[in-house]
Every structure is written in C-alpha cells, then in structure tokens.
Amino acid sequence: MCLTPRQSVGEMSSLAPQLNLGGGIPLIMVAMRHMDEMRAQQPQGPLSRETLWQGCFQEPMPQDLAAKSQRDFNSAMYEKLLGMFQARTDDPAAPFTGMLLLSAGVRLEKALEAVSGGASFDLKDFAFPPSLTPLARLGDMAKVEREMALDLQRRGTQNALPGYRPTISFGGVGIPAEAEATVHIQDIAYMTDEDKNDFEHGRPSTMSHNLAIQAQLLCGNNDAQARQVLLSMGQSGAFLVRTLSNRTGVLQDEHSPLDIDIRREANGDVTMRYHTPPQSPLDADFTYTVTPDGQGVLTACRMQARQPQDA
C-alpha cells in the first residue's frame, strides 16, 4: 500500500484481497501498473479475470481458468510471471530476482531486462517509486534514534574502501548556523570508552544523539519530518542499494560505503541524497524527498556499475 499513489489507494485496497491468495505483492504491483487501461476496458465493479489477465499480460486469458478457484487463478498468474523471468536467462535465481524487483516498484519491462544482469536504473524504471517508512510505523524520537543507532556503526563496513569515512552532511535554505555540519559517523575518537562501547554495539550514543539534534534543527522542530529524516539515516533509507545493485553487476548492500547529504529546501521539504564515493565500483546516486507531513518518496535515482573513467 505504501508504494501506491494516493489516488490509487482505493483500487489497491479492493484488488489486494482479490489477488493476494496465491498471488502476492509482485502480481498486485503488475496489476496496479496497468490499472488505467484495465479500467478503460471495465469501468465499474471488481475486475474480471479476463480483464486482469489481458491487462497484465497483454494476451487473452486461457479459457480453462474461468472455472478455477480464485487461488488457482492467482497461482496461474503468478506462474505466468515466473515463466516470463525464466525465459530471459539460465540463472535459476532469475524468478526470485524478478519478483523482488517488482515488489520494489520496478516496472515489469525493466525487471525482465534486469534479470540478465548488467542493468542500470533511473527514476523512470519505477512504476511506483519506493517510499520511506510509513508514518504509522515511526515511533517517537527516542525509538527512532534506537532503531537508527542499530545501523549507524555498520555504514561503510561491507565492501569497505581504504581510507573511506562515511559522512552525513546537513545544510539548506533558512536553517540555523549550528545545523550546517558534516558528520563523520565513524569518527569516535572523542568518545569515552562507555560511549564507544554503546556506538560499536548499536546502542544510542553521543553520535546518534547529535544526529537527532541535527534532524530537529534542520526540520525546524517539525517532529514527524524530523523522525522520518533521522530513521532514514540508517538502512531504511539505504535499502535501495541492496535491492538494485546486484543487477548492475556490482553487489553492495545498505552497509556499504554511502554518503548522505540532507538539505532543507525553501518550500519546507527536506531532500536526502544518498551517493557512493568516487572510488566505489557502484555509481549510486538517489534522493528521497521528505515533505513537512513526514512522507518520503524517491524523487531521483541513478544506479549502475561505475565505469573506470568515472572513478
């Protein structure tokens, strides 16, 4: 539901129960992608099986499915999707990979292309650009800090780069001077032994406290926006690296080298730009925009293998 545009939530809420049994999220995402054309064919009421099959696969429904149970019909659609991925490559993991990409909001056409590897991604490759954590799942500031602290000390440790220190930078229009900062999140030389121990074991520390203060200053004490920004400094904002990078031929994850630039814009939005350092073999650069109500959606994206001349 959190990937669905707000104007389509009603369609999703009626379609999900229909397709979930034996179908699941990837199938629902493909159906939602073709909702406009299916509604043009069938403007009213629950979508028929014929409309769903034709809309999703651009071919008539096999007639033997008309008398099947709903679970069997959904399973047939799911198997159809699996077969489309299997036909693209000899990689036995291709169906799983393709379904994961669909669940992340990637268009079916792009997912089919990407299972063979060597792909690149940009914003237009998403049927539904991924969102940050739904507001209903955000705890209070203390809980958000605890969750973010679990990830903080791991940033940059997977596929580590010599001499690299991950940073989180803060800036933007109309923010107080003390909110302009670049924080080296693994620079803990100033900490007491107890504080270092907390940081290294993923517990709140001086580092996480300072980042929480920075988020509040940047967001002008807008609590919902600040909580979203703070949580998204951890893996909840970096998950796209794990989801997409292996299809580029450069496998990285949410704990690989990645810097974050966080800025408050003149309209009150906060942009969170995640980007790999120049020495990384992965060229990742993507931005989430967090609106004053705390919602966050992907608004820019590039993910590809870095060419030697780019380094």
Side-chain angles (χ1 to χ4, degrees):
M1 291 286 283
C2 65
L3 286 176
T4 309
R6 292 180 185 179
Q7 65 270 23
S8 303
V9 169
E11 292 282 17
M12 172 68 93
S13 62
S14 62
L15 186 64
Q18 186 177 353
L19 291 182
N20 193 49
L21 189 65
I25 293 174
L27 180 57
I28 294 169
M29 299 305 288
V30 172
M32 287 300 301
R33 167 73 175 84
H34 295 283
M35 182 58 69
D36 288 347
E37 62 195 80
M38 290 192 293
R39 276 304 177 199
Q41 180 180 340
Q42 183 190 330
Q44 301 295 328
L47 293 170
S48 70
R49 294 181 178 185
E50 291 82 0
T51 299
L52 281 166
W53 191 281
Q54 178 70 45
C56 290
F57 304 125
Q58 308 300 300
E59 64 179 32
M61 182 191 77
Q63 287 306 302
D64 65 312
L65 294 179
K68 297 285 188 180
S69 68
Q70 186 65 49
R71 177 188 285 274
D72 287 344
F73 172 75
N74 293 347
S75 294
M77 293 192 76
Y78 191 84
E79 291 297 325
K80 174 73 174 178
L81 278 178
L82 290 178
M84 293 170 72
F85 290 116
Q86 289 170 333
R88 288 299 182 108
T89 175
D90 293 332
D91 181 2
F96 169 80
T97 300
M99 294 302 193
L100 179 64
L101 291 172
L102 292 178
S103 297
V106 174
R107 296 176 185 272
L108 175 58
E109 299 82 359
K110 185 65 181 186
L112 288 167
E113 171 195 327
V115 293
S116 299
S120 61
F121 296 89
D122 60 33
L123 192 61
K124 73 177 186 299
D125 294 321
F126 291 89
F128 304 104
S131 300
L132 293 173
T133 306
L135 291 177
R137 291 171 50 194
L138 285 175
D140 61 18
M141 187 61 76
K143 181 180 179 183
V144 167
E145 183 187 341
R146 290 196 300 271
E147 293 179 1
M148 187 273 294
L150 288 170
D151 300 317
L152 195 59
Q153 87 285 4
R154 292 183 283 182
R155 178 67 49 76
T157 60
Q158 296 295 320
N159 311 109
L161 296 169
Y164 167 75
R165 294 194 303 168
T167 64
I168 301 178
S169 300
F170 301 87
V173 176
I175 66 170
E178 58 266 32
E180 293 272 2
T182 297
V183 179
H184 296 272
I185 60 175
Q186 290 180 356
D187 181 4
I188 59 174
Y190 64 91
M191 291 184 180
T192 65
D193 289 343
E194 181 180 358
D195 207 15
K196 287 180 183 178
N197 188 58
D198 286 337
F199 175 83
E200 291 167 353
H201 287 83
R203 296 189 290 267
S205 64
T206 301
M207 181 66 71
S208 65
H209 296 334
N210 287 342
L211 291 173
I213 291 169
Q214 291 292 146
Q216 291 166 321
L217 287 171
L218 193 81
C219 297
N221 291 315
N222 178 331
D223 184 64
Q225 191 178 45
R227 286 182 290 130
Q228 183 70 270
V229 168
L230 181 62
L231 184 64
S232 302
M233 295 179 202
Q235 68 180 28
S236 70
F239 77 93
L240 206 59
V241 175
R242 175 184 289 276
T243 303
L244 300 183
S245 67
N246 69 326
R247 294 297 89 205
T248 71
V250 182
L251 179 60
Q252 305 276 283
D253 66 18
E254 62 273 24
H255 305 307
S256 297
L258 190 71
D259 296 323
I260 311 175
D261 295 332
I262 307 175
R263 297 187 60 83
R264 189 167 85 195
E265 307 298 336
N267 64 356
D269 291 347
V270 170
T271 56
M272 301 187 69
R273 176 185 171 227
Y274 302 76
H275 56 100
T276 50
Q279 63 268 43
S280 171
L282 179 70
D283 176 16
D285 194 328
F286 55 96
T287 298
Y288 282 92
T289 297
V290 183
T291 50
D293 63 0
Q295 306 280 349
V297 68
L298 189 72
T299 51
C301 180
R302 182 179 71 247
M303 190 88 66
Q304 61 191 20
R306 194 183 299 279
Q307 300 302 312
Q309 62 268 27
D310 294 340

